[in-house]
Amino acid sequence: MVGYAARGGSVLSDHLRRKGFTDEELVLGGLSARGSRGLYDRFRGRVVWPIRSIAGDTVGFGARRLYDDDRVAAKYLNTSETPIYRKTSVLYGLDMAKKAIATERRAVVVEGYTDVMAAHLSGVGTAVATCGTAFGGDHISMLRRILRDEAGRAPARVIFTFDGDAAGQKAAMKAFEHDERWAAQSFVAVADEGQDPNDLWLRGGPEAVRALVEEATPMFEFAVRTTLAPYDLALAAERVQAMRAVAPILAGVKDPTLRPEYVRDVAGWMGVDPSALTVEVTRAAAAPARPGPARAAPPHTPAAEPVVPVADLSDPVQVAERHLLQVALQYPLAIVAEDMDELPAAQLRAPVHQAVWQALQQAGGVHAAASTSAAGWTRAVLSRTPPTVQGLVRELAVAPLPTRLDPGTGTPSEAYVDSLVLRVRLAASEQRISQTISRLQRLTPGVPEARRVDEELMALQREHAALKDRMS
């Protein structure tokens, strides 16, 4: 149903008047506009695509510029908002794609009308496109219903295709802002040379379009790699800047069990120690929000503090971390000073525990606790804790420990405290060893970088063995 709008100034308007439509109806429907000489056609000398609702009713049009002397410079024109057409709640091609999307539980979101056509001609019948606007919340709601995108179900897939230029990357990052509104898995597909699906179809045929969709990259990975791209990761100073740039993305991962896995993956891509990256992520999670123009809070409304995910107490390591924090708050002198000083906050698994441990160290650790009262120690820690974590500090400062206290000293036994420290350090050591092995496997054997990583792995394994000996 692709068509053509004649070049004359009022060809369509005159035709529809003869059919009995009033001037008011033509303007209201977005087909005509008023000028000094009366009505004129909104679309003139352009290729025209009908934009249909999910039910198949035509509700608007999109029109592409053809002629160099077109007085309207815009490459594409779309019907303006009307009582039956809102561009934020329409997806081009959805009436044709809805059955395939529901069957495959996969949607492919492309950028233009010709991209939808090329995808469908290539056998990708789940392709749809927005109509002159960014992909947003209303579009997500529409697709979620068709995909049956619900927590507890096997995840559906949503694949976004973008041009490889700066505008395409910006559009991808905009889509990433909505990523956690899906239960579906989100992906990004960008061709090696930046072609859109229509260009791929013209040059490489249907196979090229299908390959683009099948080889899509997870949305999270694309967002991280796009953020890292400007930095030279061979330089130490730029690696530090890159960690700080990517930390807010990792801090925004709401699932507390996913965040440590993502941190390990990203650290591997960057060639940095996961514990160093975790420190930056913890800072990003605890830092006050910096709203930009698009995210500014309404007038007189205070910006909300970022929420640090709660600990997963089904994880034995995070349970050990919690008990160690209780000891550090209630019985700080029961911890060997060197253990508190030498255990980086990043080696704790739960971000909320990292924030408390960091506050304990910033408050001076065992040495400072020895020279103040119990209440003074708690106040010192609270003063260095992010507001969203202070409730946990107050809770841990009074919660009973699941161990018998020494009747003579009134403190937990040395063996109990030592076991908590070792369990936390062993878990962190095992994670670092696993990450280092993964980095080594991705390197070419024998190159200097591989030898350096191999030496790092051996040092980690020696440290792990020493911890195991200490635990036994």
Side-chain angles (χ1 to χ4, degrees):
M1 294 182 68
V2 175
Y4 173 73
R7 299 194 75 180
S10 60
V11 176
L12 178 62
S13 299
D14 292 342
H15 172 75
L16 292 175
R17 278 168 166 161
R18 289 194 295 270
K19 292 284 187 180
F21 292 96
T22 67
D23 288 5
E24 288 71 22
E25 288 170 334
L26 299 184
V27 173
L28 184 63
L31 298 172
S32 305
R34 295 186 188 276
S36 59
R37 299 181 181 178
L39 290 193
Y40 63 89
D41 297 343
R42 285 207 70 238
F43 307 117
R44 290 166 285 171
R46 290 182 174 242
V47 177
V48 178
W49 283 264
I51 299 170
R52 294 186 287 268
S53 70
I54 192 171
D57 298 318
T58 299
V59 293
F61 295 93
R64 189 192 189 283
R65 191 174 193 261
L66 287 178
Y67 303 108
D68 292 338
D69 62 351
D70 191 327
R71 295 172 64 181
V72 180
K75 183 177 180 180
Y76 281 95
L77 282 177
N78 291 291
T79 298
S80 54
E81 301 270 307
T82 74
I84 62 168
Y85 174 69
R86 288 177 55 244
K87 59 187 177 181
T88 58
S89 59
V90 174
L91 287 168
Y92 176 73
L94 186 59
D95 57 309
M96 297 180 292
K98 61 185 178 184
K99 184 176 180 180
I101 290 173
T103 301
E104 299 179 29
R105 299 194 68 228
R106 181 176 79 167
V108 179
V109 182
V110 300
E111 293 200 287
Y113 308 122
T114 56
D115 294 328
V116 173
M117 296 167 69
H120 282 251
L121 288 169
S122 301
V124 182
T126 58
V128 295
T130 58
C131 300
T133 186
F135 189 83
D138 288 345
H139 299 127
I140 290 175
S141 298
M142 293 169 62
L143 287 181
R144 286 197 68 178
R145 289 194 296 270
I146 301 171
L147 288 164
R148 304 185 307 285
D149 181 47
E150 304 157 1
R153 293 181 63 94
R157 283 193 166 206
V158 181
I159 300 166
F160 297 86
T161 70
F162 296 106
D163 293 344
D165 58 12
Q169 289 192 349
K170 183 178 180 181
M173 295 301 286
K174 184 71 175 176
F176 178 67
E177 293 178 11
H178 296 288
D179 190 47
E180 291 199 356
R181 293 188 58 178
W182 301 93
Q185 296 173 336
S186 300
F187 295 80
V188 174
V190 178
D192 292 339
E193 297 180 14
Q195 309 101 312
D196 58 31
N198 184 49
D199 291 333
L200 282 176
W201 182 74
L202 290 170
R203 297 176 188 177
E207 295 79 9
V209 177
R210 291 196 295 268
L212 173 71
V213 173
E214 295 302 327
E215 295 168 9
T217 301
M219 175 73 82
F220 171 82
E221 179 177 341
F222 180 86
V224 169
R225 292 193 186 278
T226 298
T227 302
L228 294 177
Y231 299 95
D232 183 352
L233 298 180
L235 302 176
E238 295 213 21
R239 283 198 300 274
V240 172
Q241 292 176 355
M243 283 195 291
R244 290 171 181 165
V246 83
I249 295 177
L250 290 159
V253 175
K254 294 183 176 65
D255 188 333
T257 59
L258 272 180
R259 188 189 287 183
E261 297 298 324
Y262 281 153
V263 168
R264 285 193 289 273
D265 285 346
V266 174
W269 302 338
M270 297 179 67
V272 300
D273 190 325
S275 62
L277 181 56
T278 302
V279 169
E280 296 298 337
V281 174
T282 303
R283 286 176 182 161
R290 295 183 184 177
R295 292 188 176 188
H300 312 298
T301 301
E305 288 287 339
V307 176
V308 182
V310 297
D312 177 11
L313 298 184
S314 65
D315 176 4
V317 174
Q318 295 188 46
V319 172
E321 292 172 358
R322 177 185 171 89
H323 294 161
L324 180 60
L325 292 173
Q326 287 178 247
V327 173
L329 285 163
Q330 298 177 34
Y331 311 101
L333 301 185
I335 300 179
V336 176
E338 288 75 13
D339 281 340
M340 184 175 284
D341 295 339
E342 295 175 5
L343 177 60
Q347 290 192 12
L348 276 67
R349 185 169 291 181
V352 69
H353 292 165
Q354 294 170 358
V356 178
W357 190 258
Q358 190 172 48
L360 287 160
Q361 291 178 318
Q362 291 174 348
V366 173
H367 307 288
S371 59
T372 187
S373 65
W377 173 234
T378 302
R379 285 195 299 272
V381 175
L382 280 169
S383 69
R384 292 162 176 83
T385 305
T388 53
V389 183
Q390 289 178 356
L392 177 63
V393 171
R394 294 187 180 93
E395 175 189 343
L396 297 178
V398 297
L401 271 171
T403 185
R404 289 186 178 182
L405 302 181
D406 184 301
T409 63
T411 62
S413 69
E414 181 181 337
Y416 174 73
V417 176
D418 205 32
S419 71
L420 295 176
V421 172
L422 288 173
R423 182 174 295 184
V424 172
R425 293 188 63 182
L426 272 171
S429 175
E430 288 160 4
Q431 289 177 352
R432 292 167 64 196
I433 287 171
S434 175
Q435 182 65 40
T436 306
I437 290 173
S438 296
R439 286 168 56 201
L440 188 60
Q441 289 172 340
R442 290 193 291 269
L443 295 171
T444 303
V447 301
E449 177 69 7
R451 289 196 292 271
R452 186 188 68 77
V453 175
D454 191 40
E455 290 172 0
E456 180 184 331
L457 176 61
M458 288 189 289
L460 287 171
Q461 289 171 331
R462 287 194 295 270
E463 177 188 332
H464 185 265
L467 289 170
K468 292 277 284 186
D469 288 344
R470 181 176 161 187
M471 197 161 193
S472 59

